[in-house]
Amino acid sequence: EPLVQPGVIGNSFVMDGANDYILVEGCYGIGGVENRTVSAFIKAEPDLDNTENNLHTIVSWGYNGITSGKWMVALDSDTGQLALVLYGSRVKGGPDLEDGQWHHVAVTMLYGTIFFYVDGKEVSTTVTSTPSQINTIQSKVSIGAANSATAIGTFSPVAFFNGAIDDVRIYSAFFEPEQIAELANVGN
């Protein structure tokens, strides 16, 4: 179970990188091709070890085994960059965030175009070549780990986060740069 300690906004959850995560009851993520925005404050431990798929999950929902059936915002453990995994593809961008400092991260999607933000500034844009269809039927949102299960209604955690996560937000809308900057400045 994650520890609770002061974060950027109130308290944060401190994940140990081995088995800590939160399965959010009653929250099933955003499905289909709907535009969306996910944001959080993170404090990743320096030089994270490689994990399954070389990822450290910030927030995730969906299932493996279904092309583009997962929406997973994470850090790439090889580069420390912000990453988005849609089962079957991965995009990443921005600076190395494995520095032990608090950062605001956001990923927003507008009709299949993915925008990455770090500390309120856009760091990468990617037009996906794969469908953005996300299957969230009975798929609870998880914080700090991803679901490796292929069966709907099951949860098998992998790709654990090592560090603190605070103020996770999921919106069923595309956010403009000014809106992302507002989210990033909430902690100031």
Side-chain angles (χ1 to χ4, degrees):
E1 190 169 303
L3 296 173
V4 176
Q5 72 177 28
V8 176
I9 303 194
N11 289 325
S12 67
F13 292 103
V14 180
M15 312 292 181
D16 65 7
N19 60 9
D20 287 344
Y21 66 94
I22 299 166
L23 194 56
V24 184
E25 295 294 328
C27 183
Y28 292 90
I30 298 157
V33 294
E34 300 300 317
N35 295 331
R36 65 199 68 185
T37 299
V38 174
S39 75
F41 286 95
I42 63 165
K43 182 178 175 183
E45 294 302 317
D47 301 316
L48 294 171
D49 293 329
N50 289 340
T51 63
E52 183 168 327
N53 299 321
N54 296 323
L55 294 165
H56 300 284
T57 306
I58 300 167
V59 63
S60 176
W61 64 86
Y63 293 97
N64 284 336
I66 303 167
T67 301
S68 295
K70 178 183 282 189
W71 178 271
M72 176 181 174
V73 177
L75 292 183
D76 181 286
S77 63
D78 290 332
T79 64
Q81 293 176 299
L82 190 58
L84 175 67
V85 177
L86 305 171
Y87 179 76
S89 66
R90 177 190 310 189
V91 293
K92 60 185 176 180
D96 183 346
L97 299 175
E98 296 174 349
D99 60 4
Q101 302 297 312
W102 281 106
H103 294 282
H104 181 266
V105 297
V107 176
T108 189
M109 181 179 81
L110 179 65
Y111 305 115
T113 300
I114 308 297
F115 301 86
F116 289 160
Y117 290 84
V118 173
D119 297 327
K121 296 180 175 80
E122 185 178 335
V123 295
S124 180
T125 302
T126 302
V127 178
T128 59
S129 59
T130 59
S132 298
Q133 186 72 25
I134 309 298
N135 178 8
T136 58
I137 299 169
Q138 297 184 3
S139 173
K140 295 175 184 166
V141 169
S142 62
I143 299 171
N147 188 0
S148 69
T150 56
I152 293 175
T154 61
F155 190 80
S156 179
V158 295
F160 297 95
F161 190 84
N162 187 12
I165 300 175
D166 192 10
D167 196 44
V168 173
R169 297 179 184 211
I170 301 169
Y171 299 94
S172 59
F174 169 76
F175 273 32
E176 297 288 345
E178 300 79 25
Q179 294 170 293
I180 299 291
E182 281 182 39
L183 291 175
N185 287 323
V186 167
N188 293 330

